[in-house]
Structures are given as C-alpha cells and as structure tokens.
Amino acid sequence: MTDWEKQAMEFFDNGFNCAQGVLIMQSETLGLDKETAARIASAFGGGVSRTGNVCGAVAGALMALGMQFGNQAPNDKVARERAYDKADQFIARFTESCGSIICRDLLGLDLSQPGMLEKAREENIFHDKCPRYVALAAEIAEAMLAEGK
C-alpha cells in the first residue's frame, strides 16, 4: 500500500468520503483549511449524486482543479476553457490508469441499486478498492496543480 493509499484509508477510517479525501489532500495547495475542503466535497461520496456515475474521487479532483484553474468571473472564457482542458486531461490520465471514471465500473457494483451499499460494506469494498482510486486521483490532481496556471 502506497503512502497515498494509507492517507486515503485514514480518511475513510475517520468517516470521510472519497471526494472529501481527495480535496483535503489538496487543501494546502488550494489555500483551504481541511474543514472547508471536507465541507465543499461532502455531498460527493459514492459517486456524483450517489447514482454510481462519476466516481467521488474523480469529483474531488475535478473540484480541486476547478478551484485552481477555473474562471473567477462569469465572462472569463479563457479561464473557463483552461479549466475544461485541465478536467479533460485529468479524466484521460485517470481513465488510462483505471479504465473508467464511473463508480460502478471501478467498484464492480452499482451503489444506487437496492442493497448494494450494504453489500459494499459487507465485502469491505470501500477499504479494498476505494483507497487506490482516492490515492490515484489525489496524486494526479497534485501533479496537475503543481503545473501552475
């Protein structure tokens, strides 16, 4: 288990979800305190809208990239395009390593289906699989944040 995965496991053990873990890992770079980072990402564990769609770790990384590279004014089209480009780059890197950004593909079950959340807990999927994705998303996001604006 890598240091990134150990850190991700600590977040899970302390009740944080995958998106929170990724954003907390990037909080210092983004100028956020850990509590604010956790609050921002609190709704994104278990996939976006808990539908089994986009993995929460991916959502957390995309939030971090948006905070660094996104537009601060509604008409800042250059910054908006830069943020879109960074999101596309992240998705390509993550997909290259994992084959998908979709939670149900990564976990091998759809958390939005009845009984699947309980099954995931019983089979320890959140400890066996999720730390790898959180660690990878955080590692890719950190590298991209270091690339600067």
Side-chain angles (χ1 to χ4, degrees), residues 7-24:
Q7 190 174 359
M9 187 68 78
E10 277 184 40
F11 288 126
F12 285 117
D13 288 344
N14 287 302
F16 292 104
N17 67 44
C18 40
Q20 289 173 310
V22 173
L23 203 55
I24 290 168

